[in-house]
Amino acid sequence: MNKLMAATDLSKGQHDLLRRLALPWLKTGEWPLWAHIRHEFDLKDLDADVLLQSLPRIGLDAPYAAGYGYTTLMRPPVREDDRVRLTVAAVLVLPALRKELGDPFVRALKLMIRLYRGKPVSHTEITRAYLDSSALAKRGFAPSFVRALPDLLDHEPGVRSGSGVTSPDGDWKREIDRSVLRFRDVETIEDYVARTCELVDAQAASTAGHPVSALPHPGVPALADPSRFTTPTDHSPRAESPTPYLDAGLLTDLESAAARTTWKAHKLLALCRELNSNHAAGNPYACAALIRAVLDHVPPVFGHKDFKQVAAQHTFTVQRTDKAHAQKLAGFKDIADDALHRPISANVPVITMSDLPEPTRLNALLNELLTLLRKA
């Protein structure tokens, strides 16, 4: 049994932190601001930041990688206006979440599997399966859960969803990816978390250079590209490959989508690949400049002149989450300006890799850009 399934191993402080994160969501459907959580624990002479980082996790603790825990990954320092989210795994340690989150999540997952299996078959065109908020509402799902499901799916590493759209009144529609077939025999939330942990452990072993020949459940699609699980013929020692800042598959999808539009993505892709190279090399000033260049380059696809307008006015597919990512990226402009324009003097602050935005934010923005290119 892995450390996420062994729920009794949590300390009282860790359990209290998870419970305090859950209460606002149960009441309002909103995750609390970290400033509020931090202050509550300050009054108890406890450090919420230390408790958060001490929570057990499995897999790779890297943004946009397949790590998994009771909360979404938050690299320190966590900012006051950040919202730390619980994952579906938190149901294992918080029984109050089972009825509101765990059981309906399993029901929704089963519905997604049925919809994917029942999609039309065509020999002449690609067909897709979709889940929408109205389908859940008709099946008796609580309105609060229906609103929350897209955000929950975004933070579950084993379930991928494709493009989607959210209307101003909150109705949404999401493409169902074949990744749901990994969970075809899941009956309970314990089954779901155990399967997710298997997939995450397999991904971590592969990335660390320890290939996995098979998962414990035959017939379940792999989490990663099967080629990543192939035993190398070169038996010399290998250095561990760092997780790229921008997802390589996403860049490939961007190139493919742009080829079908009038938008020319050559510069964007060059900037992104140079960003990955400089991030792997640990060059913070080059990374800061390249991130700023990407943000300055993409606004026309969103229908705006600058990125500040994109962050403030664009209606994102996953509005609440991705808009927050865009606003954080807009706030990075000051750091990028510092890297590019501050003149030499007797006292110049140093920019480090930890000053860069979390990769999740720019990956999310580029995923939104991909959606727009496919529509175009």
Side-chain angles (χ1 to χ4, degrees):
M1 181 178 292
N2 66 54
K3 55 189 176 182
L4 293 188
M5 302 299 291
T8 57
D9 292 345
L10 289 182
S11 69
K12 182 180 183 303
Q14 291 172 324
H15 190 274
D16 286 347
L17 175 62
L18 294 174
R19 185 176 60 85
R20 291 306 303 160
L21 290 170
L23 285 176
W25 187 86
L26 287 169
K27 292 179 180 179
T28 67
E30 296 281 349
W31 300 110
L33 289 171
W34 186 243
H36 173 69
I37 297 298
R38 181 183 283 155
H39 180 65
E40 282 194 354
F41 280 78
D42 285 345
L43 296 179
K44 302 176 184 179
D45 293 325
L46 295 172
D47 192 325
D49 294 272
V50 171
L51 287 172
L52 177 63
Q53 300 306 323
S54 72
L55 289 170
R57 294 188 67 82
I58 64 169
L60 303 174
D61 280 357
Y64 227 74
Y68 197 49
Y70 300 129
T71 71
T72 53
L73 175 62
M74 302 296 293
R75 288 291 189 187
V78 183
R79 301 177 184 179
E80 289 189 336
D81 58 347
D82 280 332
R83 296 180 186 269
V84 180
R85 293 164 166 77
L86 298 181
T87 67
V88 173
V91 174
L92 299 184
V93 294
L94 297 172
L97 285 176
R98 184 173 292 270
K99 181 179 178 181
E100 303 294 331
L101 192 158
D103 293 343
F105 184 86
V106 172
R107 285 177 56 208
L109 184 60
K110 285 179 168 293
L111 174 60
M112 292 168 71
I113 293 170
R114 290 199 302 271
L115 291 172
Y116 181 83
R117 283 177 158 174
K119 69 177 183 177
V121 176
S122 171
H123 298 291
T124 59
E125 61 180 355
I126 297 174
T127 59
R128 305 190 187 279
Y130 293 91
L131 177 69
D132 60 61
S133 53
S134 63
L136 293 174
K138 291 176 182 177
R139 286 167 173 81
F141 285 83
S144 58
F145 178 81
V146 174
R147 290 193 299 271
L149 183 58
D151 186 59
L152 291 171
L153 290 172
D154 285 341
H155 295 92
E156 294 299 309
V159 184
R160 293 194 301 263
S161 60
S163 58
V165 62
T166 302
S167 68
D169 60 2
D171 291 335
W172 54 263
K173 180 179 180 180
R174 296 284 289 269
E175 182 184 345
I176 303 171
D177 186 90
R178 70 184 295 267
S179 61
V180 296
L181 296 179
R182 302 163 180 162
F183 303 93
R184 66 187 73 177
D185 58 347
V186 162
E187 296 294 336
T188 67
I189 197 65
E190 286 79 9
D191 293 341
Y192 169 79
V193 176
R195 177 60 48 78
T196 299
C197 290
E198 292 170 3
L199 295 167
V200 168
D201 281 339
Q203 174 76 66
S206 174
T207 302
H210 303 288
V212 178
S213 58
L215 294 176
H217 297 271
V220 179
L223 179 63
D225 184 336
S227 65
R228 299 185 63 182
F229 292 87
T230 303
T231 303
T233 55
D234 180 6
H235 297 286
S236 59
R238 297 188 305 164
E240 182 173 335
S241 300
T243 303
Y245 188 86
L246 295 176
D247 183 69
L250 171 59
L251 300 187
T252 300
D253 288 344
L254 282 170
E255 184 172 19
S256 176
R260 297 176 173 85
T261 75
T262 57
W263 298 105
K264 303 300 181 185
H266 303 82
K267 178 180 177 179
L268 172 62
L269 293 167
L271 292 171
C272 291
R273 287 165 180 151
E274 288 181 23
L275 174 55
N276 275 352
S277 296
N278 279 279
H279 187 264
N283 300 327
Y285 288 92
C287 288
L290 287 163
I291 292 171
R292 171 67 187 277
V294 169
L295 299 181
D296 286 346
H297 188 60
V298 300
V301 180
F302 291 84
H304 295 289
K305 293 182 179 180
D306 58 51
F307 191 74
K308 184 177 180 180
Q309 292 178 340
V310 173
Q313 301 176 27
H314 180 69
T315 301
F316 288 86
T317 304
V318 185
Q319 176 68 357
R320 185 185 307 163
T321 302
D322 289 350
K323 189 176 185 68
H325 287 321
Q327 290 172 342
K328 291 286 187 182
L329 290 170
F332 176 70
K333 180 179 178 180
D334 292 338
I335 295 177
D337 282 347
D338 193 290
L340 290 167
H341 304 306
R342 183 187 289 269
I344 192 170
S345 69
N347 184 19
V348 178
V350 176
I351 290 177
T352 67
M353 297 299 287
S354 62
D355 294 312
L356 302 177
E358 291 180 348
T360 304
R361 304 194 189 284
L362 192 52
N363 275 291
L365 176 73
L366 293 179
N367 265 302
E368 182 72 10
L369 182 73
L370 175 62
T371 299
L372 296 177
L373 289 176
R374 284 172 170 168
K375 290 179 179 178

